[in-house]
Amino acid sequence: MVERDTQGILKNYFGFTRFRRGQEEIINALLSGRDVLAVMPTGAGKSLCYQAPALMLEGLTVVISPLISLMKDQVNALSDAEIPGAYLNSSLSFAEYRTTIARAGKGEYKILYIAPERLKRDDIRCLGDSLGITMVVIDEAHCISQWGHDFRPSYLLITEFIQSLPKRPITAAFTATATGKVQDDIIRILNLETPYLLTTGFNRENLYFEVRRPQNKLQALLEYLRNHRDKSGIIYCSTRKAVEELCQILNSQGYGTTRYHAGLEDQERQENQDHFIYDRKPLMVATNAFGMGIDKSNVSFVIHYNMPKNIESYYQEAGRAGRDGSPADCILFYSPKDVRINTYLITNPQNDEAPRNEALIRHNLELLKAMTYYAATGDCLRSQLLAYFGEAGLHYCGNCSNCNTLFESADITVAAQKIVSCVYRVEQRGKRFGKIMVIDILRGGKNRKLLDSGLNTLSTYGIMADTDPHRLRIIIDYLVDKGYLALEGDEYPVLCPGPRSKEIVFEKKNLSMMLPKETEQHRQPLMAADSEKTGNPFDEELFIKLKEMRNRLAQEARLPAYIIFSDASIRDMCRKKPETLEQFHGVSGVGLVKMEKYGKLFINVIKEHEKG
Ligand code: ADP
Ligand code: MG
């Protein structure tokens, strides 16, 4: 029977009460048989978007994922919620492989993970006939595009695989980072048919972004770690050598640290990754070979010891922090040397097989330029990242190192009056211009078009000659955002008075906003801000006790701790302090299966704790 109650599935299998942004729309699109392309940030909950419909649809869902090492965890997590799944990748013996295929053929699974390389094998091709594949999901779909930051040739096998199936399956592509160009590639190469396209936005509010330019990176790192003992984090370095050295130093300083890079044997890589995921070693030092798709929910910081080559990589890697929604730090240690090394690596590609591709090299140098700009900018870091992915608007987030140290509240009452009346005056002359021209008028610019149009005779010409044009632009954007000004037209938007412009011109309304300043100041620690918000002191002791219980269960079941319950779920238990199974079911991340399996144990811990 095909189940259609998405809400029931959400609570009973996954333990959540509310869909996150975009999830329900995607699930409904897939259930109605439509293709999907979803671009949702890391941690947004993409897996659920295909796992839920996989459960509800007749037949088998195949998930193509490049992350061999994580398939086992995914399948474990599914079976913990009693969803039958399996995987096919190079870690299986031939016998296991055959058994899995035979069981899949009998319809024993709802979800089958397959590594893209496996699609080459003829038996998988033949399999298609017997399996009754209803849906094919492509996770990390950006790997299919050479304009993406992690192109994998084996991804090109997917298209042929889909075409070889007797009946065209519903096809769904998911990725966290894809520029417009990469999205186009995904749709084209996979032949998605008028897909339901969803980009939920890239913003991850719980992440704090910071750029540091330490004289001595090692000292800066050690200082950070001293202040964040017992937290789990990833430190990315650009070379294997740096990974080796840093890992050794951190271990010698008493930090449980493991390492990951492409120069290690498969087995060691797997072991090290497990040490990290199972919290046996809370710190991971790695090259960019590590981490795609890692769903370790309690990573509380990602430090880039070296600057990556582009913003896509940076955002993807940094985004591995704070997946459970808790506050987390993303810190980039910048030095100009990083730019030189990256330039060298881009212009001297190591790949001997592929012919040198000058267009690609130029493209990659452009991407590096954007990354370098991020490291140098005095603007809001979050807004820089979001603008890169095409999300404009925000200029101050209040949760990045630039906003916290370089911005202050500024009175813009007079500035707003000057700007809005300038836009009025221009309109009185029967004209409308874009932001650049309005800024030019206000600053008394002398460009040809301005002078030819006689705009230098306006009373507002040059009345803000002292204001930095960039600052002016930020103020104008703010006025547009608040409705004092408006933008009209799509291709060349022009400024005109907004619905609230009268409040400025006639009512002389007082306005202030956050603007860049000169002096430095230190940011507030995030945790303090968190408890200020809720007003409740957090019961740290109970949190630790519940975590102990979880870790014990995880050890017994030989599962990573977060598969039993994420830190976010445990935190929610601390807040709700459930006394009955029913109340326990109300905790975020607790489904029916988990309620029955673990409910009593955790309720007892809470009871004992409350008795004191
Ligand atoms: P990604 O989009 O990066 O693939 P995942 O699918 O791994 O993200 O999900 C990230 C985390 O969010 C997981 O721990 C998952 O259990 C949790 N999650 C997913 N959907 C919801 C929801 N509706 N409510 C609460 N947590 C959710
Ligand atoms: Mg994922």
Side-chain angles (χ1 to χ4, degrees):
M1 199 199 78
V2 179
E3 215 167 329
R4 285 281 159 173
D5 171 18
T6 48
Q7 197 65 43
I9 294 263
L10 179 70
K11 185 62 205 164
N12 293 333
Y13 284 90
F14 300 94
F16 303 126
T17 40
R18 235 170 292 128
F19 283 109
R20 290 211 185 131
R21 201 143 70 93
Q23 284 180 326
E24 199 169 15
E25 292 88 327
I26 292 177
I27 292 170
N28 286 332
L30 291 173
L31 289 177
S32 75
R34 194 164 168 197
D35 287 354
V36 161
L37 168 57
V39 187
M40 299 160 82
T42 315
K46 291 185 283 295
S47 318
L48 194 142
C49 295
Y50 59 79
Q51 287 168 349
L55 259 175
M56 299 163 86
L57 289 165
E58 307 270 8
L60 179 71
T61 289
V62 162
V63 182
I64 317 284
S65 160
L67 308 157
I68 297 181
S69 52
L70 292 171
M71 288 182 182
K72 195 157 153 264
D73 284 348
Q74 291 261 8
V75 170
N76 277 339
L78 287 175
S79 58
D80 205 47
E82 295 185 353
I83 303 172
Y87 56 89
L88 293 174
N89 63 36
S90 55
S91 76
L92 297 185
S93 69
F94 188 66
E96 289 169 322
Y97 192 81
R98 297 246 58 115
T99 317
T100 305
I101 288 183
R103 296 183 62 181
K106 284 193 230 143
E108 289 185 23
Y109 307 123
K110 289 307 292 180
I111 300 184
L112 183 64
Y113 286 85
I114 304 183
E117 304 80 43
R118 294 279 106 179
L119 297 176
K120 259 189 291 209
R121 296 183 56 137
D122 290 338
D123 45 352
I124 295 237
R125 299 286 181 85
C126 308
L127 248 187
D129 302 339
S130 58
L131 287 186
I133 298 174
T134 312
M135 176 160 74
V136 172
V137 173
I138 299 94
D139 206 3
E140 314 289 349
H142 58 276
C143 293
I144 211 165
S145 165
Q146 71 158 330
W147 304 111
H149 55 93
D150 199 11
F151 173 56
R152 300 193 175 207
S154 60
Y155 258 60
L156 297 174
L157 300 168
I158 298 173
T159 312
E160 218 183 302
F161 169 68
I162 292 177
Q163 282 164 354
S164 76
L165 297 176
K167 184 166 176 286
R168 188 185 182 282
I170 306 165
T171 309
F174 291 88
T175 172
T177 41
T179 53
K181 206 165 170 161
V182 173
Q183 289 177 28
D184 291 345
D185 264 9
I186 294 172
I187 294 177
R188 186 176 52 81
I189 300 174
L190 289 173
N191 297 311
L192 299 185
E193 286 171 9
T194 53
Y196 177 73
L197 187 70
L198 185 118
T199 52
T200 58
F202 292 88
N203 194 11
R204 302 258 322 269
E205 280 174 9
N206 60 317
L207 299 186
Y208 165 81
F209 290 96
E210 175 168 348
V211 177
R212 291 193 193 177
R213 298 168 192 80
Q215 291 289 337
N216 182 328
K217 288 187 179 182
L218 180 60
Q219 261 171 26
L221 177 67
L222 290 174
E223 189 191 316
Y224 182 88
L225 294 179
R226 265 198 301 280
N227 293 325
H228 295 80
R229 277 203 187 271
D230 304 324
K231 298 265 186 218
S232 181
I234 307 173
I235 300 144
Y236 279 108
C237 302
S238 59
T239 64
R240 299 175 189 181
K241 188 163 160 264
V243 168
E244 292 291 339
E245 284 171 8
L246 199 54
C247 180
Q248 205 182 1
I249 295 175
L250 296 184
N251 274 312
S252 74
Q253 299 262 334
Y255 293 100
T257 310
T258 185
R259 69 200 199 285
Y260 194 106
H261 58 69
L264 300 175
E265 296 292 327
D266 281 355
Q267 196 195 338
E268 189 185 347
R269 272 194 302 199
Q270 181 67 52
E271 279 168 13
N272 292 355
Q273 174 168 315
D274 284 351
H275 282 322
F276 178 64
I277 288 184
Y278 288 73
D279 278 321
R280 295 189 287 262
K281 302 266 174 82
L283 297 186
M284 167 62 87
V285 184
T287 61
N288 60 7
F290 174 75
M292 202 206 294
I294 287 280
D295 177 25
K296 185 179 196 304
S297 59
N298 65 341
V299 176
S300 68
F301 58 86
V302 171
I303 294 179
H304 279 78
Y305 206 69
N306 301 105
M307 186 180 80
K309 290 196 194 75
N310 54 56
I311 288 184
E312 278 109 321
S313 308
Y314 180 68
Y315 202 57
Q316 179 119 4
E317 286 158 17
R320 287 173 192 142
R323 286 173 71 105
D324 61 1
S326 310
D329 291 346
C330 307
I331 305 177
L332 169 65
F333 283 6
Y334 171 80
S335 76
K337 197 169 142 206
D338 295 331
V339 184
R340 291 198 296 276
I341 292 175
N342 280 326
T343 308
Y344 178 82
L345 291 174
I346 290 170
T347 48
N348 298 280
Q350 303 290 300
N351 192 346
D352 298 332
E353 286 157 36
R356 192 177 163 85
N357 181 340
E358 293 300 338
L360 191 58
I361 290 175
R362 273 198 304 278
H363 173 73
N364 288 337
L365 285 174
E366 281 305 310
L367 300 188
L368 175 63
K369 214 187 270 174
M371 183 72 237
T372 312
Y373 185 79
Y374 173 83
T377 184
D379 290 338
C380 166
L381 293 175
R382 178 175 268 100
S383 76
Q384 289 295 307
L385 292 169
L386 296 181
Y388 180 83
F389 293 109
E391 274 178 41
L394 189 78
H395 84 281
Y396 171 83
C397 74
N399 191 22
C400 75
S401 54
N402 284 357
C403 283
N404 290 357
T405 62
L406 305 177
F407 280 63
E408 66 188 349
S409 175
D411 186 333
I412 57 159
T413 308
V414 177
Q417 287 166 5
K418 289 177 177 171
I419 295 167
V420 176
S421 46
C422 181
V423 173
Y424 262 111
R425 296 276 175 272
V426 172
E427 202 171 60
Q428 280 171 352
R429 298 245 178 126
K431 296 205 166 75
R432 282 179 170 186
F433 294 107
K435 288 181 212 168
I436 296 178
M437 181 64 109
V438 171
I439 291 171
D440 242 15
I441 299 170
L442 285 162
R443 299 189 70 248
K446 297 200 165 28
N447 78 62
R448 168 61 57 76
K449 189 170 158 201
L450 190 158
L451 298 178
D452 284 355
S453 317
L455 295 168
N456 53 340
T457 60
L458 286 173
S459 58
T460 49
Y461 178 76
I463 51 171
M464 296 185 83
D466 295 338
T467 310
D468 169 64
H470 181 61
R471 192 177 178 89
L472 246 175
R473 197 187 176 94
I474 294 178
I475 302 176
I476 290 177
D477 286 341
Y478 178 84
L479 295 175
V480 171
D481 186 48
K482 297 287 174 220
Y484 300 113
L485 291 174
L487 278 174
E488 277 181 14
D490 285 332
E491 205 173 343
Y492 299 106
V494 291
L495 279 172
C496 49
R500 299 178 65 192
S501 59
K502 290 193 170 59
E503 294 174 34
I504 305 253
V505 185
F506 301 113
E507 297 160 23
K508 313 273 181 224
K509 181 172 176 163
N510 275 319
L511 276 188
S512 64
M513 69 180 286
M514 297 302 290
L515 279 174
K517 65 168 179 194
E518 254 78 54
T519 52
E520 293 252 333
Q521 182 189 303
H522 286 294
R523 75 177 173 111
Q524 286 181 1
L526 274 170
M527 287 303 182
D530 196 39
S531 66
E532 253 164 49
K533 240 181 266 164
T534 56
N536 274 334
F538 184 71
D539 194 337
E540 194 74 39
E541 216 181 303
L542 178 60
F543 184 63
I544 292 170
K545 287 183 187 167
L546 291 172
K547 259 169 73 168
E548 273 169 8
M549 171 57 80
R550 174 195 64 181
N551 295 352
R552 214 187 72 210
L553 291 169
Q555 256 169 13
E556 283 168 8
R558 294 169 170 267
L559 287 172
Y562 64 80
I563 284 189
I564 311 273
F565 286 122
S566 68
D567 281 4
S569 291
I570 303 236
R571 212 165 285 139
D572 203 36
M573 287 177 211
C574 289
R575 270 190 291 269
K576 298 196 171 123
K577 301 195 172 158
E579 291 170 10
T580 63
L581 280 181
E582 200 173 40
Q583 291 170 355
F584 192 74
H585 191 218
V587 169
S588 168
V590 178
L592 281 180
V593 177
K594 294 205 175 191
M595 175 190 84
E596 273 170 18
K597 256 195 214 169
Y598 308 122
K600 281 203 183 113
L601 291 170
F602 283 84
I603 291 172
N604 270 338
V605 174
I606 296 169
K607 260 193 203 140
E608 289 300 314
H609 173 77
E610 291 295 287
K611 268 195 233 155

